[in-house]
Structure formats: structure tokens, C-alpha cells
Amino acid sequence: MSIFGWCSQRAGGLAMMATVALSYWVISSELEAQRHGYKYQSNDSLSAPNYDPQNGAIWVNIFSYYCLLIHFLVFCFPLRSCYAVFTIGRQLRKSARARTLKDIKFGHRRRSSSTSLSSSETLTSSRDLGSSSSSEVEDVDTDCYIDADIAPDRVIHAIVIPNYKEENDTLRETLEVLASHPQARNTYDVYLAMEQREHNAETKASRFVNEFSKKFRSINYTLHPSDIPGELAGKGSNMAWAARKLSERYSLGQRKDVIVTGIDADSHLSTNYFGLVTTMHMTYTETATTTLYSAPIIFDRNAHNVPAIVRVADVLWSAAGMSGLYKGSTVAPPTSVYSVPLELVDRVGGWDCDAEAIGEDLHMYLKCFFALNGNLTVRTVMSPVSQTNVTGGGHGKGIPGLIADVQARYKQALRHMWGALDTGYALRKVVEVWRERKHTSRAFRPLHTALNDASDGYVPESQVSTADPEAAPESGIFSDVTTDTLKGVNYERMIVLFHRLFEAHFLPVQMTILVVASTLYAWVTDGAPDVHGVNWMFSICNILRTVGFMEVALYLFLYEGFHKACLEIREKEMSDAGLTKGMHFSRREAKTNFIDYIMVPLVAPIFGSIPCAQAQIYHFWTVDLVYTVSKKATRRRAKSVNLDSLV
């Protein structure tokens, strides 16, 4: 590994050390100045001055301006999150109203048909969204509205559920929710991505395949080997193996309309999610194969059964995810659940399996982003994904239970912060993009046939066919090669991307260091003359810090309405599907969750700064992290039977 490669992987740790060193130098210099005093002597004096205040002035200014910058970023992040949760909540309510009006208008059409959504009447193709909308819903964005006249079975959804030692009830509940969708039998190809290292994984998967075989277009399982060299156990490597296997099932002609969706084992997706993805895929044809779809997440199933400090940590985690999903955002990394066209998966060579890919959602986003020179299209699916809060099984167990839940959430936070390795990956990729900026021709093959190829490598212009890309491919060894020409490098989006990466991987530690350092600096220089002229910056920092806390409180207030709207939508859908019995619904009320507002100052360091610092320090001697599965809450209609007890 080159020096640049090594440093890029430890960028967070190196930045932390540099900030600590800068803070120490500035504060110790000011202490020394206080000891000698700020005294000048005339130029004609033969004796040396006691202290020259200009010595080290540059470092004081760097420290002060950097401190101001960090506080400004901390001010901007919750402000953007507030805007995002407000706009997403408003669009969700608008979409729900439009859906209700559409159901009323087309109710007689559905009642007159003896089939489901795949009836010939429903499949009438129409690309004019306005023609299928009533006057009351004409202002609804395409991204928020499902067009019933777009043929739903043209787009196939390959849904991958990576799991390892997940409880049977957790997987069954997720599959039942998916099976309740009216389009499931026509468009859902479900893949249970199992791990070979899990005892009886194949038996477990076979049972689910048999149980749900008639509920989906197809349901299969893949078994990820545990002994592949260079792979790190985790969701990313499991997704990579499953994608290679599912790739074999789709012909070259089908691939442009196959969308791969990766979800967690406890993720509950609305039927609206896949309907919206289908609508956007069919509507925006020019960018259909270069688009990544992401959705906001919401923890609305067992939030009432976890400690407030854990609940707030997950609320703020969802804020981080939503902060890039507002309308007009061009950089929107996904959180946990996302959808990618299979042709885009082919282009980038699938999911990576090494240590840097432990946060596979962000890593796959970065891989697609740089493979397209920053011209990746991102669309927000206005259908929040329901997930469960991490728990250590401590509900009702007093202080020991509280400690167990906090420990479980801290382990998850450490895993999240381990994703700081992706910043190093992005640094190396931007250098690669710069070097190849004049080489825009690309060629790639289906994922399962290109395992040993560099799927997004440079192809000389002389080797790229000038034939019509829509023409039928000739037979032969290169008949499955797809050629394309990339757009120029989008530097503006790359700047925005690195700002978001800095927020995620650097800001928690940098802010903590500088809050402590600026407080010490103010204490050391209290009562002394402002010889460097920087006190005004620290006054602004104090204001920004105070306003930042107020913005977080505002976000929690706005989140109450967002949570309520999402919960009502999910509860209605589950009620219509007959799945509410035993299912958890966590309701929030501002007057009963006031303790959440008090927990914010504790959540930031415990689940932000400390695990972030720990991950960055550990990266100096290892980039590998042992992946552990977090315990999840689920309904239990009957006691699960352990397979070992049947042997």
C-alpha cells in the first residue's frame, strides 16, 4: 500500500491528532504569554522584549478560524435536517391525500375487475401522469405519486435480504409485509442472502422458501461461503455474493428494468415504496439506469420499549440520513435501504467485500458516484422505511437492562463510525477520477460474467463500437458487452459530497475537541488584551453553539409530526393487510417525550464523539471490525422452535 493509501485510510485519525496538536500549541503558547506578560519595549532599547505577541500569531488565527468553521458546520447540519424533515413530512401528507383521492376515483374500476393490479385494464400504458390524476392532485410531484396506468409488471424488483443469525420471527414478519403488497406476485423476486457460517442456515432458508413460494414472483436463497480470501464478514460481502447469483437469472434485455433493493432483516417497506420506484424508473427514462433510490428511515416499532437515550440516538441517526433527502438535493447517501438498477450494479462491478465496505450502503453509493464521474442521479422515495431500535433485551430489567441497551446501541454506533474508512476510499477515488478525466469511454459486462474484470475500467475510443446502442448485440464472446460514454466530471457535486463525508466522519470528534479547546483558550486569555484580534470569533462560536442546540430541539419538535404521519400510514396499511395483530406501533407525543429533549447533550458524545474517536484511533493498527448482529424487537405469535431441538 502506498503512503497516500495508508494515510487516506487514517484520514480521520490524522485529522484528530492535528487538531489536538494545534489546540495544545495555541493554548500552551497563550499560557506562556500570560506568564511573561504582554509587554513591549521601545525599538531603541538594548534589551530584548519580554514577549513578542506576533510570535505564533498565524497558528492562533488558524485555530480561531477553524474553530469558527466547525461551529458554522455544526450550525448548518441541524438546520438542514429541520428543513428535510419538514419538507419530507409535508410531501408524505400530500402523497397520502393524493392516494386517498385516487383510491376513491378508481375504486369503481378496481371493483369491476376480478383480478389484482396486473389486470389488463390496470396495465394500460400511459406516460402522461396528469391524465391519471384528478384536479385535486395535479400538483403532486411524480416522485411522490404512483401512476396506476404505468405497467407495474414491466419492472422487476430483486429484493435482497442479507441476514445472519436473525430470529425466525424477524424474517417471517418482514416477508409477510412484503407478501401483503398487491404487486408482490407479479414483480417481486425475493432473495434470502444467508451465511454459510450460520448453523442450519440452508434449512432455515428452505423453510421460508416453501412457506412463501406462492406469495412472490419468485423466492430463492443464496448461501455466502465463509472462506473466500480477502472478504470481511458482513452485510456488504453477503450482498455481493447474492448479487452475483441473482445476476445469472436475468437476460441482457431484462437487465435495464431490473432494480435491486437491499434491505435489513427488520425493514418494513410500504407497497408505496416499490410503486414509487417503478413510477420514477419508467418516467425518467434518460437517467433510469444511472439512478440510485433512497428513502428516509423511521424507528416506529419498539421506540417505546427502549431507554430515552437509545431512542434519541436513533432519532438523530435518522436525521443524519434525512439531511440529504430533501427536494433538490444532488448528494443523498442512503441509510440501510436503497435501490439500484441492475445495469448500474453491472457497471460498478457489484458490491465490495473488504474492510472498507462494512458500511455497504454508503460505500455502494460512493462506488456508483465515482463510476459516473459524480453524475449519479439520486431520487428520494417518499415512503419511509420502518425499522426497530437496537436493544440489548433490557426492557423491564431496571438499571442492568438500561446498561445492556446502551451497550448494544454503542456497538452499533461504533460500527457506524467505522465507516470513516469510506472517506479514505473517496479520497483515492477522486484522485483516480482526476487522472482518468479525459477518458470517458466505458465498457462493462453482466456482473456474473465479469467477476475477474475491471467493470468500470477505461476503454480506448478505438475499441468502442459506434453502432446504435439499442441495436441487437451480435453473437459471440463480446455479445454481452455494454459500451457507454460518461459525462464530464461534476466537481460541484464532489465538493458537496466531501462536505457530507466530513460531517459524518470528522465533525463529531472535531467539534468535541474544539469546544473543549476554545473553552480553555477563553479561560487562559480571560482579562488579557486581545492582541490577536480573535475574540470576536469565539463570541460568534458561542452563539452558533447555542443556536445549534435550539435547532436540534426544533428538529425533535418537527420529528413528532413526521413520526405521527408515518405511523398512521403504516398502521392503516398493516390493518388493510390484516397484519396488525401482535405488531408493534410506537406512538410519540411531545408532552410525554420531554425527556428526549434532555437526552440530546448526552447522546452527542456517547453515541457520536466517543465511538467516532475510538474507531479513528483503532484504524491506526487495524481496519477490520468483527461484525456483530444487533438484537431486534419483533412480534411473537407463537414460541419459536429451535432447529437443534428437533435433531
Side-chain angles (χ1 to χ4, degrees):
M1 178 181 292
S2 65
I3 295 177
F4 173 69
W6 187 92
C7 291
S8 66
Q9 285 188 330
R10 284 90 182 164
L14 292 172
M16 178 174 60
M17 292 174 59
T19 305
V20 170
L22 174 64
S23 301
Y24 175 78
W25 172 267
V26 169
I27 294 172
S28 61
S29 298
E30 289 302 312
L31 280 172
E32 186 71 14
Q34 290 293 318
R35 190 184 341 176
H36 291 283
Y38 290 97
K39 297 180 181 178
Y40 292 95
Q41 294 190 10
S42 59
N43 293 332
D44 59 352
S45 174
L46 298 178
S47 59
N50 291 328
Y51 175 72
D52 183 0
Q54 298 306 314
N55 285 339
I58 185 173
W59 298 111
V60 174
N61 281 282
I62 290 174
F63 170 77
S64 303
Y65 279 104
Y66 184 61
C67 189
L68 181 61
L69 172 64
I70 292 299
H71 278 78
F72 179 72
L73 293 178
V74 170
F75 164 80
C76 290
F77 169 70
L79 189 64
R80 194 175 71 246
S81 298
C82 287
Y83 175 72
V85 73
F86 174 75
T87 55
I88 292 173
R90 184 175 60 181
Q91 288 178 311
L92 283 174
R93 288 186 286 271
K94 184 187 294 186
S95 178
R97 289 195 299 269
R99 192 175 180 184
T100 300
L101 290 170
K102 187 171 71 71
D103 287 344
I104 294 173
K105 178 177 179 180
F106 292 103
H108 68 281
R109 291 174 59 182
R110 288 195 296 268
R111 287 192 296 269
S112 64
S113 175
S114 60
T115 58
S116 64
L117 290 177
S118 61
S119 66
S120 59
E121 183 180 48
T122 307
L123 296 182
T124 302
S125 178
S126 172
R127 303 306 296 274
D128 185 4
L129 294 172
S131 65
S132 63
S133 306
S134 64
S135 60
E136 292 88 352
V137 297
E138 286 179 351
D139 61 337
V140 176
D141 293 335
T142 302
D143 297 9
C144 309
Y145 178 68
I146 298 175
D147 186 359
D149 291 338
I150 287 182
D153 61 346
R154 173 176 165 180
V155 176
I156 299 172
H157 293 279
I159 305 169
V160 183
I161 310 177
N163 64 98
Y164 174 62
K165 293 185 177 180
E166 297 287 355
E167 295 184 17
N168 290 338
D169 290 317
T170 300
L171 281 173
R172 179 174 287 106
E173 188 176 44
T174 299
L175 290 171
E176 285 177 346
V177 171
L178 290 173
S180 70
H181 298 176
Q183 67 269 42
R185 292 193 64 181
N186 299 311
T187 63
Y188 291 6
D189 288 344
V190 177
Y191 299 89
L192 298 174
M194 315 299 293
E195 290 282 1
Q196 189 181 60
R197 54 199 172 96
E198 178 182 350
H199 182 60
N200 283 327
E202 193 167 3
T203 304
K204 176 181 176 180
S206 297
R207 185 171 64 252
F208 283 121
V209 168
N210 293 332
E211 182 178 348
F212 289 92
S213 60
K214 296 181 180 180
K215 303 290 182 66
F216 302 108
R217 182 177 183 269
S218 70
I219 179 170
N220 298 278
Y221 70 89
T222 60
L223 203 60
H224 176 225
S226 58
D227 57 351
I228 299 179
E231 284 196 356
L232 183 72
K235 184 180 175 183
S237 57
N238 201 347
M239 278 290 298
W241 181 263
R244 295 171 192 169
K245 293 301 178 182
L246 70 85
S247 173
E248 300 172 0
R249 300 192 59 204
Y250 304 105
S251 66
L252 198 61
Q254 285 181 302
R255 303 180 83 82
K256 65 179 181 179
D257 289 325
V258 176
I259 299 178
V260 181
T261 300
I263 70 175
D264 289 345
D266 66 326
S267 298
H268 288 186
L269 279 72
S270 167
T271 180
N272 224 30
Y273 178 92
F274 296 101
L276 289 169
V277 171
T278 298
T279 297
M280 289 186 283
H281 179 81
M282 299 288 287
T283 302
Y284 303 106
T285 54
E286 292 185 359
T287 57
T289 59
T290 57
T291 299
L292 184 145
Y293 305 91
S294 57
I297 60 173
I298 182 171
F299 298 90
D300 64 347
R301 302 230 291 281
N302 67 320
H304 58 291
N305 288 331
V306 297
I309 192 170
V310 173
R311 182 168 60 245
V312 174
D314 286 327
V315 169
L316 296 182
W317 176 249
S318 68
M322 276 193 287
S323 66
L325 300 182
Y326 57 88
K327 185 177 178 64
S329 175
T330 58
V331 175
T335 306
S336 300
V337 175
Y338 55 99
S339 299
V340 189
L342 183 55
E343 190 167 309
L344 182 55
V345 175
D346 291 337
R347 177 191 290 272
V348 304
W351 280 258
D352 287 342
C353 308
D354 57 3
E356 287 184 322
I358 190 169
E360 46 75 40
D361 43 10
L362 175 59
H363 192 84
M364 186 60 172
Y365 175 87
L366 294 175
K367 199 173 183 184
C368 296
F369 182 90
F370 287 108
L372 295 171
N373 279 350
N375 295 295
L376 174 68
T377 302
V378 289
R379 300 196 187 280
T380 301
V381 186
M382 291 299 168
S383 179
V385 178
S386 171
Q387 294 191 324
T388 60
N389 300 83
V390 171
T391 175
H395 178 59
K397 297 181 181 179
I399 299 300
L402 170 64
I403 295 174
D405 286 342
V406 171
Q407 287 178 336
R409 184 60 182 83
Y410 184 86
K411 289 181 180 179
Q412 187 184 56
L414 180 60
R415 190 168 71 242
H416 290 159
M417 295 305 179
W418 206 265
L421 291 168
D422 275 323
T423 297
Y425 173 79
L427 287 170
R428 296 194 301 278
K429 292 300 290 186
V430 77
V431 171
E432 180 181 323
V433 167
W434 171 257
R435 289 174 177 172
E436 299 292 331
R437 65 190 182 281
K438 296 181 180 180
H439 304 151
T440 58
S441 299
R442 296 293 185 271
F444 54 92
R445 303 176 67 186
L447 181 63
H448 61 283
T449 63
L451 296 181
N452 297 319
D453 295 338
S455 58
D456 61 345
Y458 162 63
V459 178
E461 296 284 351
S462 59
Q463 297 183 22
V464 178
S465 173
T466 57
D468 182 3
E470 298 296 327
E474 300 179 359
S475 59
I477 190 171
F478 298 115
S479 60
D480 59 353
V481 174
T482 301
T483 59
D484 189 20
T485 301
L486 297 179
K487 295 180 181 179
V489 180
N490 193 323
Y491 294 106
E492 180 181 350
R493 289 189 183 179
M494 290 194 178
I495 293 172
V496 175
L497 173 68
F498 277 98
H499 165 232
R500 301 289 170 81
L501 291 175
F502 186 88
E503 277 186 343
H505 300 150
F506 291 72
L507 197 56
V509 171
Q510 297 290 309
M511 180 60 182
T512 302
I513 295 172
L514 290 174
V515 165
V516 174
S518 62
T519 302
L520 290 175
Y521 180 87
W523 175 74
V524 167
T525 59
D526 184 36
D530 183 18
V531 295
H532 301 293
V534 297
N535 283 354
W536 65 272
M537 283 187 273
F538 294 107
S539 298
I540 294 178
C541 287
N542 291 333
I543 296 172
L544 291 175
R545 193 157 58 234
T546 302
V547 175
F549 275 112
M550 295 172 63
E551 289 172 350
V552 174
L554 175 61
Y555 172 82
L556 289 175
F557 176 77
L558 294 173
Y559 179 84
E560 306 292 352
F562 169 77
H563 186 101
K564 182 179 180 180
C566 294
L567 191 68
E568 289 175 350
I569 294 171
R570 186 171 73 89
E571 191 169 16
K572 182 182 183 303
E573 188 168 316
M574 293 299 96
S575 177
D576 293 342
L579 295 177
T580 55
K581 184 178 180 180
M583 186 171 286
H584 300 287
F585 298 93
S586 294
R587 291 171 174 78
R588 286 182 61 87
E589 294 291 341
K591 60 183 179 181
T592 58
N593 287 294
F594 67 92
I595 192 173
D596 289 5
Y597 295 80
I598 302 174
M599 288 292 108
V600 171
L602 292 177
V603 168
I606 293 176
F607 300 118
S609 304
I610 296 175
C612 186
Q614 181 180 349
Q616 292 175 359
I617 292 171
Y618 280 14
H619 288 165
F620 281 106
W621 61 82
T622 181
V623 295
D624 296 336
L625 177 69
V626 178
Y627 193 95
T628 57
V629 179
S630 303
K631 183 177 177 61
K632 304 174 182 68
T634 186
R635 63 175 177 172
R636 294 182 182 273
R637 294 166 298 180
K639 185 177 180 180
S640 299
V641 179
N642 193 315
L643 290 172
D644 294 333
S645 64
L646 300 177
V647 180

